[in-house]
Amino acid sequence: MYGAIKKARVSETIGEDIVSIMIDQGILWQEKSREPSTIKRKKSYRIQPKLRFIYPFYRFWFGFVEPFRKDLLQNNQEEFNRYFEAHYERLRSLIYEQLSSLLLVEMFKKTTPIISIGGYWDMENEFDIVAITNIKKIIIGECKYKERKVCKSELTKLKAKAMQSGISADYFALFAKQGFSNELRSNTPSDVLLFELDDLRQILESS
């Protein structure tokens, strides 16, 4: 949150007022890190909330259109096109994370419903998804919207991050646009869940 305020080149007080107004107007919401009660902090520090736009269109408008509004009104699209090409991946990746969270909720709702889900971050690491079920099971999710298959090394890295952050996960969920390597698919541990792009159809079917 305060990183965004700093980039806007306003004071924290003014920035907080602007954020408050945009929240009241239904443009922004604050996402707080989901920290399971089992986590023991090693240091005393403040974890800042993240600012999220209510709708993806708002993020597109304020992130891509508004900075170049004057040029676009004069039919000058060069700078906009250059910026869009360089940063559009961030917009797609966040939407993929949000859809993956919805899919995870759908998968668990008939057995052990998820009661808390969202991002998690601390001084050491950041996780796309940390979910907690109604029986206190913890699920850590990693989303890869990349043009390559996810291999076993990604799972190893995710487990190492969880250990470093002191999160004792019961399940690890991997979401991959291009699927998974043969090694990971043919030898998937019992505590690992694999989801591909086509699995998102379940969200549409359930709605």
Side-chain angles (χ1 to χ4, degrees):
M1 172 175 168
Y2 289 99
I5 291 174
K6 184 177 180 181
K7 287 181 180 179
R9 298 180 180 179
V10 297
S11 68
E12 287 192 3
T13 301
I14 294 176
E16 289 170 351
D17 289 340
I18 293 172
V19 169
S20 179
I21 292 171
M22 295 182 77
I23 290 175
D24 291 340
Q25 292 182 346
I27 297 173
L28 291 177
W29 65 282
Q30 284 188 342
E31 179 186 9
K32 296 181 180 180
S33 178
R34 270 69 172 177
E35 292 187 78
S37 58
T38 54
I39 299 299
K40 294 182 179 180
R41 294 186 180 183
K42 297 179 180 179
K43 301 177 182 178
S44 177
Y45 60 93
R46 178 180 65 171
I47 297 181
Q48 297 179 24
K50 291 187 177 182
L51 297 177
R52 301 295 195 191
F53 286 101
I54 296 292
Y55 300 112
F57 175 76
Y58 289 162
R59 190 165 191 257
F60 168 73
W61 179 267
F62 287 105
F64 292 89
V65 178
E66 183 62 28
F68 305 99
R69 181 169 55 88
K70 291 183 180 179
D71 289 339
L72 292 173
L73 288 173
Q74 297 176 4
N75 204 28
N76 182 1
Q77 302 178 13
E78 184 176 346
E79 289 299 320
F80 167 81
N81 291 338
R82 185 181 296 112
Y83 186 86
F84 182 86
E85 187 68 26
H87 298 284
Y88 182 52
E89 184 64 30
R90 291 187 289 119
L91 180 63
R92 294 194 300 176
S93 297
L94 179 59
I95 294 174
Y96 185 55
E97 289 178 20
Q98 294 170 339
L99 291 173
S100 297
S101 294
L102 291 176
L103 177 59
L104 203 59
V105 170
E106 180 67 23
M107 292 296 297
F108 276 81
K109 75 177 184 181
K110 293 182 179 179
T111 54
T112 55
I114 291 173
I115 60 174
S116 176
I117 189 168
Y120 169 88
W121 53 93
D122 55 29
M123 287 190 69
E124 285 81 22
N125 297 297
E126 183 170 354
F127 299 90
D128 296 334
I129 300 172
V130 169
I132 305 174
T133 71
N134 63 335
I135 57 173
K136 307 303 181 183
K137 296 294 184 180
I138 298 176
I139 309 160
I140 294 180
E142 182 89 355
C143 306
K144 297 294 183 182
Y145 198 83
K146 303 291 185 181
E147 299 300 331
R148 59 177 175 79
K149 294 183 181 296
V150 171
C151 58
K152 190 176 180 179
S153 62
E154 297 290 345
L155 175 61
T156 302
K157 292 177 184 177
L158 182 60
K159 289 186 174 182
K161 284 170 56 179
M163 183 178 296
Q164 184 182 36
S165 291
I167 304 177
S168 180
D170 298 284
Y171 297 100
F172 294 90
L174 298 177
F175 302 84
K177 177 186 177 183
Q178 293 296 333
F180 304 92
S181 66
N182 293 331
E183 179 188 16
L184 184 54
R185 183 165 290 284
S186 62
N187 188 27
T188 307
S190 59
D191 63 343
V192 175
L193 309 172
L194 304 180
F195 299 97
E196 298 185 17
L197 201 59
D198 283 344
D199 291 320
L200 293 175
R201 296 180 185 274
Q202 297 182 43
I203 300 176
L204 297 177
E205 294 171 357
S206 64
S207 60

